[in-house]
């Protein structure tokens, strides 16, 4: 299963990077969001670490929607979903493959978002750097596990973009909330001990969403049109 | 045709919501047999084929495969190709999905068989409909299936590509592969088939030897 998931992820990354439009749009949207929010900063003042964390994760969430719309539309152009479903590959390999490809694209986008947060929002990592990376990893896993499940749910729908957004944002709230709180601690260096509870919470939600994805994905992806 | 059936459909029925598509459909397909599914547009042929191929569930009845799922292949009017990948990369991906270890020689041979040797490293997005469907056929050849489902594979093909497709369907039978086939051209294609199953008025209207089937005159 993992070998086939790796095949799907490699193919998706190749097509996403080769096509170029989807990832570029996702990065640009995130950058525009960060820049627009930076305009709310008073002249010569700074924005709070909490607000900066919220803006970073909001940009990541919008980016996620575009990334997974793009990844799941790959199979729709020439009906390749039926080809995958009629092959002996387990449907879970699609979920893992799409999730892995989405994770890579999201991380690359965030590599662009973070310098923008530093430049436009005046932030730097004053807390422990491990907290920053653990928060980023935990948050991204949660986003991608859910994005891969809900991307499949919205495939074939004429209102796929809006459907994905409407469903994904309420469900992502716990992960986003944890990510914002942890980033606030990582940026400001304050309340690191109190933030440890949120580290547990973010990985608990990752596990919960992963369990739900593992169970639900075959039903969602294999649903008849 | 001999031995155990590779596909058995028993009293299958399908509803979409409260709408009945067909009911009480039963048939068997043996190795080396071509079963042609006939019927008007909207009769439920593609729905029945998807159920046979495991891509849909019957509302009632059963479908039993007599071969391993790895040895079945589905070829529809959608070509299943990735336009952004080359012909070779497309085939490598599908071989991987079927768990096949293929060599460059295998790829070259299958591309030559469908007449795409020169286009091997071209992106499939630039292919004509005929070339894309030939690449799709190459995907099926890689699998070397015991049972193949063909859902109007000739849609959009020119006469040359259509003739090639018909030859390959007959060669499937000659190699002992069972074929379930939906065709737009029932008049011509029922000659190649062994058995015909015609659906109409939500039930089986004919199931028997192709030689005994009299298709309706095509409407203009």
């Amino acid at each position: 299963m993992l070998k086939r998931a790796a095949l799907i992820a490699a193919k998706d990354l190749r097509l996403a990077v080769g096509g170029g439009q989807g990832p570029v749009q996702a990065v640009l949207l995130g950058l525009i969001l960060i820049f627009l929010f930076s305009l709310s900063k008073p002249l010569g003042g700074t924005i709070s670490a909490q607000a900066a964390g919220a803006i970073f994760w909001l940009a990541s969430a919008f980016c996620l929607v575009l990334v997974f719309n793009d990844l799941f539309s790959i199979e729709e152009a020439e009906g390749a979903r039926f080809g995958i479903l009629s092959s002996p590959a387990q449907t879970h390999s699609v979920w893992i493959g799409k999730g892995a490809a989405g994770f890579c694209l999201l991380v690359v986008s965030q590599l662009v978002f973070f310098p923008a947060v530093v430049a436009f929002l005046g932030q730097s990592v004053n807390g422990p750097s491990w907290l920053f990376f653990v928060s980023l990893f935990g948050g991204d896993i949660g986003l991608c596990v859910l994005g891969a499940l809900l991307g499949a749910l919205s495939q074939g729908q004429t209102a796929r973009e809006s459907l994905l957004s409407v469903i994904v944002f309420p469900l992502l709230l716990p992960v986003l909330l944890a990510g914002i709180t942890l980033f606030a601690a990582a940026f400001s260096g304050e309340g690191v001990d109190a933030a440890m509870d949120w580290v547990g919470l973010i990985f608990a939600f990752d596990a919960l969403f992963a369990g739900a994805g593992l169970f639900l994905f075959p039903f969602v992806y294999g649903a008849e049109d | 045709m001999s031995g155990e059936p590779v596909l058995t459909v028993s009293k299958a029925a399908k509803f979409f919501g409260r709408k009945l598509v067909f009911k009480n459909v039963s048939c068997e397909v043996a190795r080396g047999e071509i079963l042609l599914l006939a019927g008007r547009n909207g009769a439920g042929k593609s729905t029945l084929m998807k159920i046979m191929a495991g891509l849909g569930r019957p509302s009632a009845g059963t479908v039993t495969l007599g071969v391993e799922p790895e040895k079945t292949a589905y070829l529809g009017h959608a070509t299943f190709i990735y336009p952004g990948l080359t012909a070779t990369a497309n085939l490598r991906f599908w071989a991987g999905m079927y768990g096949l270890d293929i060599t460059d020689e295998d790829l070259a041979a299958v591309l030559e068989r469908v007449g795409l040797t020169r286009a091997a490293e071209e992106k499939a997005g630039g292919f004509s409909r005929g070339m894309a469907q030939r690449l799709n056929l190459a995907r099926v050849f890689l699998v070397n299936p015991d049972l193949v489902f063909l859902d109007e594979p000739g849609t959009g093909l020119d006469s040359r590509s259509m003739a090639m497709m018909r030859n390959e369907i007959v060669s499937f039978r000659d190699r002992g592969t069972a074929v379930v086939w939906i065709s737009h051209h029932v008049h011509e294609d029922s000659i190649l088939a062994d058995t015909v199953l015609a659906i109409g008025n939500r039930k089986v209207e004919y199931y028997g030897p192709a030689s005994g089937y009299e298709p309706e005159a095509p409407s203009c």
Side-chain angles (χ1 to χ4, degrees):
Chain A
M1 184 168 74
L2 289 178
K3 196 176 171 186
R4 285 169 174 141
L7 261 175
I8 290 170
K11 179 261 298 170
D12 282 354
L13 286 173
R14 194 170 167 183
L15 289 171
V17 174
Q21 288 178 344
V24 170
Q25 279 177 357
V27 169
L28 283 178
L29 178 67
L31 283 178
I32 289 168
L33 272 173
I34 293 167
F35 176 71
L36 286 177
F37 275 106
S38 75
L39 298 178
S40 66
K41 187 175 64 173
L43 202 62
T46 55
I47 210 160
S48 73
Q50 182 92 8
I55 294 164
F56 178 88
W57 284 107
L58 191 65
S60 298
F62 277 109
C63 174
L64 177 89
V65 171
L66 289 184
V67 161
F68 278 99
N69 262 321
D70 200 38
L71 289 179
F72 278 93
S73 67
I74 288 173
E75 262 71 34
E76 286 187 32
E78 296 294 338
R81 183 167 66 101
F82 281 120
I84 291 176
L85 287 171
S86 63
S87 78
Q90 278 187 290
T91 317
H92 289 117
S93 58
V94 180
W95 178 62
I96 297 170
K98 296 276 178 196
F103 182 84
C104 294
L105 293 172
L106 184 63
V107 168
V108 168
S109 304
Q110 288 171 329
L111 287 176
V112 180
F113 297 162
F114 182 67
V117 168
V118 172
F120 293 125
L121 306 180
Q123 299 297 318
S124 57
V125 180
N126 295 309
S129 55
W130 65 262
L131 181 63
F132 175 79
F133 288 113
V134 166
S135 313
L136 193 67
F137 180 74
D140 285 357
I141 291 284
L143 294 185
C144 292
V145 160
L146 204 57
L149 175 64
L150 297 176
L153 189 66
S154 69
Q155 70 186 350
Q157 307 282 345
T158 48
R160 52 180 296 140
E161 283 84 3
S162 53
L163 184 66
L164 182 57
S165 313
V166 164
I167 298 170
V168 83
F169 286 122
L171 286 171
L172 283 179
L173 276 179
V175 171
L176 292 177
L177 204 60
I180 291 164
T181 309
L182 288 167
F183 261 42
F187 284 150
S188 66
E190 295 166 7
V192 172
D193 290 338
M196 290 312 294
D197 290 343
W198 287 95
V199 173
L201 191 71
I202 209 167
F203 284 104
F205 272 106
D206 289 353
L208 186 70
F209 290 153
L214 208 59
F215 177 71
L216 291 174
F217 190 81
F219 298 103
V220 174
Y221 195 69
E224 293 173 59
D225 291 332
Chain B
M1 287 179 279
S2 61
E4 291 291 304
V6 291
L7 175 73
T8 306
V9 180
S10 178
K11 296 182 179 175
K14 183 67 182 178
F15 286 86
F16 282 129
R18 301 173 85 177
K19 185 189 170 197
L20 174 67
V21 183
F22 54 74
K23 65 176 180 180
N24 213 22
V25 175
S26 298
C27 64
E28 284 185 352
V29 188
R31 285 183 193 278
E33 177 182 352
I34 297 177
L35 170 69
L36 189 76
L37 297 183
R40 292 187 172 188
N41 288 343
K45 304 184 295 293
S46 293
T47 303
L48 176 60
M49 180 173 278
K50 281 179 181 167
I51 288 171
M52 288 172 162
L55 294 171
R57 284 179 287 276
S59 306
T62 58
V63 175
T64 310
L65 277 182
V67 293
E68 295 296 316
E70 290 84 353
K71 299 302 282 180
T72 67
Y74 182 95
L75 193 150
H77 21 139
T79 56
F80 297 176
I81 63 168
Y82 292 99
L85 297 181
T86 63
T88 308
N90 265 287
L91 291 179
R92 280 197 189 285
F93 172 76
W94 287 112
M97 294 307 283
Y98 275 85
L100 303 171
D101 285 323
I102 52 162
T103 61
D104 290 344
E105 288 74 28
D106 295 333
L107 278 177
V110 82
L111 284 169
E112 188 180 357
R113 187 169 167 192
V114 296
L116 287 176
T117 303
R118 284 184 181 178
E121 296 307 322
E122 288 177 22
K123 283 194 175 174
F127 285 7
S128 67
R129 165 78 192 166
M131 290 169 80
Q133 194 62 306
R134 277 188 274 153
L135 180 57
N136 199 9
L137 192 60
R139 175 186 63 86
V140 174
F141 288 151
L142 274 182
V143 177
N144 193 20
D146 290 332
L147 171 60
V148 61
F149 299 96
L150 306 173
D151 187 354
E152 296 178 359
T155 304
L157 295 188
D158 58 24
S159 55
R160 183 170 159 266
S161 299
M162 192 62 223
M164 192 204 87
M165 183 69 74
R166 286 196 178 103
N167 285 338
E168 292 298 346
I169 290 169
V170 172
S171 75
F172 273 131
R173 172 173 58 193
D174 295 344
R175 285 196 302 274
T177 300
V179 179
V180 182
W181 182 15
I182 298 174
S183 168
H184 265 319
H185 311 282
V186 178
H187 276 80
E188 298 97 314
D189 294 336
S190 59
I191 298 165
L192 303 177
D194 300 295
T195 316
V196 173
L197 189 151
I199 304 174
N201 299 317
R202 303 180 186 86
K203 59 182 174 44
V204 175
E205 288 191 327
Y206 178 87
Y207 177 50
S211 54
Y213 178 64
E214 292 179 10
E216 290 177 26
S219 54
C220 298

